[in-house]
PDB file of all heavy atoms in Angstrom:
ATOM      1  N   ASP A  92       2.713  21.585  -5.408  1.00 93.00           N
ATOM      2  CA  ASP A  92       1.715  22.664  -5.464  1.00 93.00           C
ATOM      3  C   ASP A  92       0.379  22.270  -6.080  1.00 93.00           C
ATOM      4  O   ASP A  92      -0.114  22.906  -7.011  1.00 93.00           O
ATOM      5  CB  ASP A  92       2.297  23.877  -6.185  1.00 93.00           C
ATOM      6  CG  ASP A  92       3.273  24.645  -5.299  1.00 93.00           C
ATOM      7  OD1 ASP A  92       3.312  24.379  -4.091  1.00 93.00           O
ATOM      8  OD2 ASP A  92       3.990  25.515  -5.821  1.00 93.00           O
ATOM      9  N   GLY A  93      -0.208  21.214  -5.552  1.00 90.00           N
ATOM     10  CA  GLY A  93      -1.570  20.857  -5.938  1.00 90.00           C
ATOM     11  C   GLY A  93      -1.696  19.968  -7.147  1.00 90.00           C
ATOM     12  O   GLY A  93      -2.809  19.649  -7.552  1.00 90.00           O
ATOM     13  N   THR A  94      -0.574  19.543  -7.740  1.00 94.00           N
ATOM     14  CA  THR A  94      -0.697  18.616  -8.857  1.00 94.00           C
ATOM     15  C   THR A  94      -1.284  17.302  -8.350  1.00 94.00           C
ATOM     16  O   THR A  94      -1.181  16.971  -7.176  1.00 94.00           O
ATOM     17  CB  THR A  94       0.652  18.346  -9.554  1.00 94.00           C
ATOM     18  OG1 THR A  94       1.584  17.867  -8.599  1.00 94.00           O
ATOM     19  CG2 THR A  94       1.182  19.578 -10.239  1.00 94.00           C
ATOM     20  N   ALA A  95      -1.889  16.577  -9.239  1.00 93.00           N
ATOM     21  CA  ALA A  95      -2.502  15.303  -8.888  1.00 93.00           C
ATOM     22  C   ALA A  95      -2.021  14.247  -9.870  1.00 93.00           C
ATOM     23  O   ALA A  95      -1.457  14.563 -10.919  1.00 93.00           O
ATOM     24  CB  ALA A  95      -4.025  15.420  -8.951  1.00 93.00           C
ATOM     25  N   SER A  96      -2.250  12.995  -9.515  1.00 94.00           N
ATOM     26  CA  SER A  96      -1.894  11.890 -10.397  1.00 94.00           C
ATOM     27  C   SER A  96      -2.903  10.768 -10.220  1.00 94.00           C
ATOM     28  O   SER A  96      -3.232  10.420  -9.084  1.00 94.00           O
ATOM     29  CB  SER A  96      -0.492  11.375 -10.073  1.00 94.00           C
ATOM     30  OG  SER A  96      -0.219  10.217 -10.838  1.00 94.00           O
ATOM     31  N   PRO A  97      -3.355  10.186 -11.319  1.00 92.00           N
ATOM     32  CA  PRO A  97      -4.256   9.041 -11.202  1.00 92.00           C
ATOM     33  C   PRO A  97      -3.511   7.755 -10.849  1.00 92.00           C
ATOM     34  O   PRO A  97      -4.130   6.725 -10.609  1.00 92.00           O
ATOM     35  CB  PRO A  97      -4.870   8.946 -12.602  1.00 92.00           C
ATOM     36  CG  PRO A  97      -3.808   9.477 -13.509  1.00 92.00           C
ATOM     37  CD  PRO A  97      -3.134  10.577 -12.711  1.00 92.00           C
ATOM     38  N   ASP A  98      -2.180   7.835 -10.793  1.00 89.00           N
ATOM     39  CA  ASP A  98      -1.361   6.638 -10.653  1.00 89.00           C
ATOM     40  C   ASP A  98      -0.678   6.500  -9.291  1.00 89.00           C
ATOM     41  O   ASP A  98       0.319   5.790  -9.167  1.00 89.00           O
ATOM     42  CB  ASP A  98      -0.281   6.632 -11.739  1.00 89.00           C
ATOM     43  CG  ASP A  98      -0.870   6.663 -13.130  1.00 89.00           C
ATOM     44  OD1 ASP A  98      -1.887   5.989 -13.353  1.00 89.00           O
ATOM     45  OD2 ASP A  98      -0.314   7.369 -13.991  1.00 89.00           O
ATOM     46  N   ILE A  99      -1.194   7.131  -8.257  1.00 91.00           N
ATOM     47  CA  ILE A  99      -0.527   7.107  -6.952  1.00 91.00           C
ATOM     48  C   ILE A  99      -0.286   5.678  -6.466  1.00 91.00           C
ATOM     49  O   ILE A  99       0.735   5.387  -5.867  1.00 91.00           O
ATOM     50  CB  ILE A  99      -1.338   7.925  -5.936  1.00 91.00           C
ATOM     51  CG1 ILE A  99      -1.106   9.397  -6.228  1.00 91.00           C
ATOM     52  CG2 ILE A  99      -0.970   7.583  -4.511  1.00 91.00           C
ATOM     53  CD1 ILE A  99      -1.602  10.348  -5.225  1.00 91.00           C
ATOM     54  N   GLU A 100      -1.189   4.789  -6.758  1.00 90.00           N
ATOM     55  CA  GLU A 100      -1.072   3.406  -6.286  1.00 90.00           C
ATOM     56  C   GLU A 100       0.126   2.681  -6.918  1.00 90.00           C
ATOM     57  O   GLU A 100       0.565   1.658  -6.398  1.00 90.00           O
ATOM     58  CB  GLU A 100      -2.365   2.638  -6.572  1.00 90.00           C
ATOM     59  CG  GLU A 100      -3.591   3.266  -5.956  1.00 90.00           C
ATOM     60  CD  GLU A 100      -3.976   2.666  -4.609  1.00 90.00           C
ATOM     61  OE1 GLU A 100      -3.451   1.600  -4.261  1.00 90.00           O
ATOM     62  OE2 GLU A 100      -4.801   3.276  -3.937  1.00 90.00           O
ATOM     63  N   ARG A 101       0.673   3.211  -8.001  1.00 93.00           N
ATOM     64  CA  ARG A 101       1.839   2.598  -8.656  1.00 93.00           C
ATOM     65  C   ARG A 101       3.150   2.884  -7.937  1.00 93.00           C
ATOM     66  O   ARG A 101       4.173   2.275  -8.237  1.00 93.00           O
ATOM     67  CB  ARG A 101       1.972   3.101 -10.090  1.00 93.00           C
ATOM     68  CG  ARG A 101       0.941   2.554 -11.020  1.00 93.00           C
ATOM     69  CD  ARG A 101       1.160   2.951 -12.459  1.00 93.00           C
ATOM     70  NE  ARG A 101       2.449   3.572 -12.760  1.00 93.00           N
ATOM     71  CZ  ARG A 101       2.660   4.371 -13.786  1.00 93.00           C
ATOM     72  NH1 ARG A 101       1.689   4.658 -14.612  1.00 93.00           N
ATOM     73  NH2 ARG A 101       3.847   4.880 -14.000  1.00 93.00           N
ATOM     74  N   TYR A 102       3.132   3.821  -7.011  1.00 96.00           N
ATOM     75  CA  TYR A 102       4.351   4.251  -6.326  1.00 96.00           C
ATOM     76  C   TYR A 102       4.381   3.736  -4.895  1.00 96.00           C
ATOM     77  O   TYR A 102       3.345   3.604  -4.250  1.00 96.00           O
ATOM     78  CB  TYR A 102       4.441   5.785  -6.322  1.00 96.00           C
ATOM     79  CG  TYR A 102       4.554   6.354  -7.720  1.00 96.00           C
ATOM     80  CD1 TYR A 102       3.410   6.673  -8.447  1.00 96.00           C
ATOM     81  CD2 TYR A 102       5.784   6.548  -8.309  1.00 96.00           C
ATOM     82  CE1 TYR A 102       3.503   7.171  -9.741  1.00 96.00           C
ATOM     83  CE2 TYR A 102       5.886   7.048  -9.600  1.00 96.00           C
ATOM     84  CZ  TYR A 102       4.745   7.360 -10.306  1.00 96.00           C
ATOM     85  OH  TYR A 102       4.846   7.845 -11.580  1.00 96.00           O
ATOM     86  N   ASP A 103       5.582   3.486  -4.393  1.00 95.00           N
ATOM     87  CA  ASP A 103       5.731   3.075  -2.997  1.00 95.00           C
ATOM     88  C   ASP A 103       5.437   4.239  -2.054  1.00 95.00           C
ATOM     89  O   ASP A 103       4.908   4.051  -0.963  1.00 95.00           O
ATOM     90  CB  ASP A 103       7.152   2.575  -2.725  1.00 95.00           C
ATOM     91  CG  ASP A 103       7.466   1.302  -3.488  1.00 95.00           C
ATOM     92  OD1 ASP A 103       6.523   0.557  -3.846  1.00 95.00           O
ATOM     93  OD2 ASP A 103       8.664   1.047  -3.727  1.00 95.00           O
ATOM     94  N   ARG A 104       5.814   5.435  -2.496  1.00 95.00           N
ATOM     95  CA  ARG A 104       5.649   6.611  -1.645  1.00 95.00           C
ATOM     96  C   ARG A 104       5.369   7.828  -2.519  1.00 95.00           C
ATOM     97  O   ARG A 104       5.913   7.967  -3.606  1.00 95.00           O
ATOM     98  CB  ARG A 104       6.928   6.846  -0.844  1.00 95.00           C
ATOM     99  CG  ARG A 104       6.855   8.017   0.115  1.00 95.00           C
ATOM    100  CD  ARG A 104       8.083   8.108   0.979  1.00 95.00           C
ATOM    101  NE  ARG A 104       8.144   6.902   1.815  1.00 95.00           N
ATOM    102  CZ  ARG A 104       9.267   6.345   2.243  1.00 95.00           C
ATOM    103  NH1 ARG A 104      10.424   6.862   1.923  1.00 95.00           N
ATOM    104  NH2 ARG A 104       9.246   5.270   2.996  1.00 95.00           N
ATOM    105  N   THR A 105       4.499   8.698  -2.001  1.00 97.00           N
ATOM    106  CA  THR A 105       4.230   9.970  -2.656  1.00 97.00           C
ATOM    107  C   THR A 105       4.561  11.085  -1.679  1.00 97.00           C
ATOM    108  O   THR A 105       4.125  11.060  -0.532  1.00 97.00           O
ATOM    109  CB  THR A 105       2.758  10.080  -3.093  1.00 97.00           C
ATOM    110  OG1 THR A 105       2.495   9.082  -4.083  1.00 97.00           O
ATOM    111  CG2 THR A 105       2.450  11.450  -3.675  1.00 97.00           C
ATOM    112  N   LEU A 106       5.356  12.039  -2.131  1.00 97.00           N
ATOM    113  CA  LEU A 106       5.677  13.228  -1.347  1.00 97.00           C
ATOM    114  C   LEU A 106       4.881  14.380  -1.949  1.00 97.00           C
ATOM    115  O   LEU A 106       5.083  14.733  -3.107  1.00 97.00           O
ATOM    116  CB  LEU A 106       7.179  13.526  -1.406  1.00 97.00           C
ATOM    117  CG  LEU A 106       8.120  12.361  -1.125  1.00 97.00           C
ATOM    118  CD1 LEU A 106       9.568  12.808  -1.239  1.00 97.00           C
ATOM    119  CD2 LEU A 106       7.836  11.743   0.230  1.00 97.00           C
ATOM    120  N   TYR A 107       3.963  14.918  -1.173  1.00 97.00           N
ATOM    121  CA  TYR A 107       3.061  15.959  -1.643  1.00 97.00           C
ATOM    122  C   TYR A 107       3.528  17.268  -1.011  1.00 97.00           C
ATOM    123  O   TYR A 107       3.285  17.514   0.162  1.00 97.00           O
ATOM    124  CB  TYR A 107       1.640  15.605  -1.209  1.00 97.00           C
ATOM    125  CG  TYR A 107       0.561  16.488  -1.772  1.00 97.00           C
ATOM    126  CD1 TYR A 107      -0.300  16.022  -2.753  1.00 97.00           C
ATOM    127  CD2 TYR A 107       0.378  17.784  -1.308  1.00 97.00           C
ATOM    128  CE1 TYR A 107      -1.301  16.827  -3.266  1.00 97.00           C
ATOM    129  CE2 TYR A 107      -0.624  18.594  -1.809  1.00 97.00           C
ATOM    130  CZ  TYR A 107      -1.456  18.112  -2.789  1.00 97.00           C
ATOM    131  OH  TYR A 107      -2.450  18.916  -3.291  1.00 97.00           O
ATOM    132  N   MET A 108       4.239  18.090  -1.792  1.00 96.00           N
ATOM    133  CA  MET A 108       4.787  19.352  -1.274  1.00 96.00           C
ATOM    134  C   MET A 108       3.899  20.509  -1.718  1.00 96.00           C
ATOM    135  O   MET A 108       3.577  20.618  -2.900  1.00 96.00           O
ATOM    136  CB  MET A 108       6.204  19.553  -1.792  1.00 96.00           C
ATOM    137  CG  MET A 108       7.155  18.445  -1.391  1.00 96.00           C
ATOM    138  SD  MET A 108       8.837  18.755  -1.950  1.00 96.00           S
ATOM    139  CE  MET A 108       9.332  19.963  -0.716  1.00 96.00           C
ATOM    140  N   PHE A 109       3.532  21.351  -0.747  1.00 95.00           N
ATOM    141  CA  PHE A 109       2.667  22.472  -1.112  1.00 95.00           C
ATOM    142  C   PHE A 109       3.045  23.745  -0.379  1.00 95.00           C
ATOM    143  O   PHE A 109       3.467  23.729   0.765  1.00 95.00           O
ATOM    144  CB  PHE A 109       1.194  22.119  -0.892  1.00 95.00           C
ATOM    145  CG  PHE A 109       0.789  21.880   0.538  1.00 95.00           C
ATOM    146  CD1 PHE A 109       0.138  22.862   1.254  1.00 95.00           C
ATOM    147  CD2 PHE A 109       1.058  20.671   1.156  1.00 95.00           C
ATOM    148  CE1 PHE A 109      -0.241  22.649   2.572  1.00 95.00           C
ATOM    149  CE2 PHE A 109       0.674  20.437   2.459  1.00 95.00           C
ATOM    150  CZ  PHE A 109       0.026  21.436   3.178  1.00 95.00           C
ATOM    151  N   ASP A 110       2.885  24.855  -1.087  1.00 92.00           N
ATOM    152  CA  ASP A 110       3.220  26.188  -0.594  1.00 92.00           C
ATOM    153  C   ASP A 110       2.129  26.665   0.360  1.00 92.00           C
ATOM    154  O   ASP A 110       1.010  26.948  -0.060  1.00 92.00           O
ATOM    155  CB  ASP A 110       3.364  27.148  -1.772  1.00 92.00           C
ATOM    156  CG  ASP A 110       3.798  28.546  -1.377  1.00 92.00           C
ATOM    157  OD1 ASP A 110       3.791  28.875  -0.169  1.00 92.00           O
ATOM    158  OD2 ASP A 110       4.141  29.323  -2.277  1.00 92.00           O
ATOM    159  N   GLY A 111       2.471  26.770   1.638  1.00 90.00           N
ATOM    160  CA  GLY A 111       1.512  27.185   2.658  1.00 90.00           C
ATOM    161  C   GLY A 111       1.145  28.652   2.598  1.00 90.00           C
ATOM    162  O   GLY A 111       0.243  29.090   3.315  1.00 90.00           O
ATOM    163  N   ARG A 112       1.784  29.418   1.742  1.00 91.00           N
ATOM    164  CA  ARG A 112       1.474  30.850   1.617  1.00 91.00           C
ATOM    165  C   ARG A 112       0.463  31.131   0.527  1.00 91.00           C
ATOM    166  O   ARG A 112       0.052  32.269   0.335  1.00 91.00           O
ATOM    167  CB  ARG A 112       2.764  31.630   1.353  1.00 91.00           C
ATOM    168  CG  ARG A 112       3.782  31.501   2.496  1.00 91.00           C
ATOM    169  CD  ARG A 112       5.129  31.993   2.088  1.00 91.00           C
ATOM    170  NE  ARG A 112       5.613  31.088   1.039  1.00 91.00           N
ATOM    171  CZ  ARG A 112       6.781  31.164   0.458  1.00 91.00           C
ATOM    172  NH1 ARG A 112       7.608  32.110   0.776  1.00 91.00           N
ATOM    173  NH2 ARG A 112       7.142  30.298  -0.469  1.00 91.00           N
ATOM    174  N   ASN A 113       0.063  30.090  -0.202  1.00 93.00           N
ATOM    175  CA  ASN A 113      -0.895  30.255  -1.290  1.00 93.00           C
ATOM    176  C   ASN A 113      -2.208  29.575  -0.903  1.00 93.00           C
ATOM    177  O   ASN A 113      -2.272  28.349  -0.860  1.00 93.00           O
ATOM    178  CB  ASN A 113      -0.328  29.643  -2.576  1.00 93.00           C
ATOM    179  CG  ASN A 113      -1.231  29.832  -3.770  1.00 93.00           C
ATOM    180  OD1 ASN A 113      -2.451  29.706  -3.680  1.00 93.00           O
ATOM    181  ND2 ASN A 113      -0.621  30.098  -4.910  1.00 93.00           N
ATOM    182  N   PRO A 114      -3.273  30.359  -0.627  1.00 95.00           N
ATOM    183  CA  PRO A 114      -4.528  29.769  -0.152  1.00 95.00           C
ATOM    184  C   PRO A 114      -5.153  28.765  -1.131  1.00 95.00           C
ATOM    185  O   PRO A 114      -5.757  27.780  -0.692  1.00 95.00           O
ATOM    186  CB  PRO A 114      -5.458  30.965   0.048  1.00 95.00           C
ATOM    187  CG  PRO A 114      -4.653  32.184  -0.142  1.00 95.00           C
ATOM    188  CD  PRO A 114      -3.322  31.811  -0.704  1.00 95.00           C
ATOM    189  N   ASP A 115      -5.010  28.973  -2.419  1.00 94.00           N
ATOM    190  CA  ASP A 115      -5.563  28.031  -3.392  1.00 94.00           C
ATOM    191  C   ASP A 115      -4.836  26.686  -3.337  1.00 94.00           C
ATOM    192  O   ASP A 115      -5.462  25.622  -3.416  1.00 94.00           O
ATOM    193  CB  ASP A 115      -5.486  28.606  -4.812  1.00 94.00           C
ATOM    194  CG  ASP A 115      -6.389  29.821  -4.995  1.00 94.00           C
ATOM    195  OD1 ASP A 115      -7.410  29.928  -4.285  1.00 94.00           O
ATOM    196  OD2 ASP A 115      -6.059  30.669  -5.846  1.00 94.00           O
TER     197      ASP A 115
END
Side-chain angles (χ1 to χ4, degrees):
D92 284 348
T94 56
S96 174
D98 301 320
I99 284 190
E100 303 264 347
R101 288 186 11 204
Y102 297 89
D103 294 336
R104 182 174 296 150
T105 296
L106 311 179
Y107 188 108
M108 300 183 77
F109 65 101
D110 184 348
R112 298 167 294 182
N113 183 319
D115 294 333

